Amino acid sequence: MPAAAQKKKVTPSSKPLKKFVIDYSKPADDGVFDGAAFEKFLHDRFKVDGRPGQLGDSVKIVKSGNTIIVTCYVPIAKNYLKYLTKKYLKKNGLRDWIRVVAPSKDKYELRFYNVEKEDDDDE
């Protein structure tokens, strides 16, 4: 088999490459968002080497307070976390009210959409 056709297996390094934070404090304070279920969803769906749910030592997902900290020892795109978060929101029917915002380089926040109330005077 040619060398280009073989997939390289990624081995974890001793030092974390990236550390991402997902802050869901605003939806959790309103009782809309379940952090434990979201953490389980990430554990089950996160793919390493093309296999979902088998994180091993490559990725650590830890819930602390109203944040989830994802520590990656292998190269992983930040956008992949946004993709999984949006997928979770869609699955639970929250996608119409909550959005995923990146306030800094290594952090995501879940915020409610800004909905302005309109005055209906014609009634």
Side-chain angles (χ1 to χ4, degrees):
M1 190 182 266
Q6 293 178 349
K7 279 191 171 182
K8 290 184 180 179
K9 191 153 191 156
V10 181
T11 57
S13 64
S14 60
K15 189 172 86 170
L17 291 176
K18 293 278 185 172
K19 185 175 180 182
F20 300 109
V21 176
I22 302 173
D23 182 14
Y24 57 89
S25 57
K26 292 176 184 173
D29 290 344
D30 289 347
V32 177
F33 194 83
D34 183 16
F38 180 52
E39 181 187 16
K40 184 178 181 334
F41 178 84
L42 286 178
H43 273 287
D44 295 343
R45 298 289 176 103
F46 207 97
K47 285 186 181 180
V48 177
D49 290 332
R51 298 184 195 148
Q54 298 180 1
L55 304 179
D57 294 333
S58 304
V59 178
K60 303 282 186 205
I61 300 174
V62 179
K63 179 181 170 245
S64 62
N66 284 337
T67 60
I68 289 184
I69 300 168
V70 180
T71 308
C72 303
Y73 295 91
V74 294
I76 289 180
K78 177 183 169 191
N79 215 21
Y80 184 58
L81 284 175
K82 185 174 184 178
Y83 164 76
L84 287 175
T85 305
K86 288 167 99 176
K87 195 170 185 172
Y88 175 79
L89 292 173
K90 183 70 174 178
K91 178 183 170 192
N92 291 312
L94 299 172
R95 184 78 177 96
D96 294 335
W97 296 284
I98 299 174
R99 62 188 180 135
V100 183
V101 181
S104 67
K105 185 178 172 183
D106 58 348
K107 184 175 181 180
Y108 278 122
E109 278 185 9
L110 300 183
R111 296 183 187 169
F112 289 104
Y113 283 109
N114 294 333
V115 178
E116 296 181 18
K117 295 181 180 177
E118 296 178 12
D119 295 332
D120 293 333
D121 293 334
D122 1 321
E123 292 179 17

